[in-house]
Amino acid sequence: MPNVFRGKGNLGDTPILKHVPINGVDEVVAEMRVFFDDYAYDQANGEYQQVGGFWMSVSLWGQRGEDAARVLRRGARVQVEGVLKQFMYSPEGAPDKVPGFQVTADDVTLCLGRVERADYKPKRELAGSTSEAAADAT
């Protein structure tokens, strides 16, 4: 069973959209870095203080990835849900490989706390809908 990951954080930069050939098919993926922060209440000053956090690479495939690259920008607060995966890599200047982690997201959701407005696309007409059938009848 895969390791499920869910966390809220801020985008370090605007997602980068890439086209990756997989089995002869061009697949789309949005790659992003997210800082998952950790806050705790400080009773001394009566405020929440950042006490830690970590950076994680996140990939979001397909149409959702395209939508993320179109809508999300650096600094956006997002919730990420997906599968946590481990890989080995060689840091620059290091002689040995070390473990790294990344999330293959099922979904990346924009948190609405800093959103001022949202614009929606027009509703898509369904083929064979009743309004289309009524127009054809006249």
Side-chain angles (χ1 to χ4, degrees), residues 66-103:
E66 289 184 39
D67 293 342
R70 180 176 42 81
V71 172
L72 299 176
R73 297 292 174 258
R74 178 181 183 187
R77 184 85 174 160
V78 294
Q79 178 168 305
V80 176
E81 296 182 37
V83 178
L84 182 64
K85 296 182 179 181
Q86 182 179 7
F87 62 95
M88 300 299 287
Y89 74 102
S90 299
E92 190 173 319
D96 298 321
K97 288 189 173 189
V98 297
F101 295 91
Q102 68 181 37
V103 175

Side-chain angles (χ1 to χ4, degrees), residues 1-133:
M1 174 172 243
N3 293 312
V4 176
F5 178 87
R6 183 173 141 186
K8 287 184 183 179
N10 291 15
L11 290 176
D13 212 343
T14 300
I16 297 170
L17 195 62
K18 295 184 177 181
H19 296 271
V20 180
I22 298 177
N23 296 329
V25 177
D26 204 31
E27 298 287 343
V28 177
V29 61
E31 294 181 347
M32 57 199 96
R33 296 272 299 158
V34 180
F35 184 73
F36 295 97
D37 45 31
D38 187 15
Y39 285 86
Y41 187 73
D42 183 355
Q43 291 183 341
N45 64 13
E47 295 178 355
Y48 282 92
Q49 300 287 327
Q50 186 174 333
V51 295
F54 57 92
W55 286 97
M56 183 82 66
S57 295
V58 176
S59 61
L60 184 61
W61 292 81
Q63 184 62 50
R64 289 183 180 185
E66 289 184 39
D67 293 342
R70 180 176 42 81
V71 172
L72 299 176
R73 297 292 174 258
R74 178 181 183 187
R77 184 85 174 160
V78 294
Q79 178 168 305
V80 176
E81 296 182 37
V83 178
L84 182 64
K85 296 182 179 181
Q86 182 179 7
F87 62 95
M88 300 299 287
Y89 74 102
S90 299
E92 190 173 319
D96 298 321
K97 288 189 173 189
V98 297
F101 295 91
Q102 68 181 37
V103 175
T104 301
D106 296 321
D107 202 6
V108 174
T109 307
L110 180 63
C111 296
L112 299 177
R114 291 178 33 207
V115 174
E116 188 171 317
R117 59 178 269 182
D119 294 324
Y120 296 94
K121 293 179 185 178
K123 205 174 196 180
R124 287 185 277 174
E125 293 293 326
L126 299 175
S129 69
T130 55
S131 61
E132 198 174 317

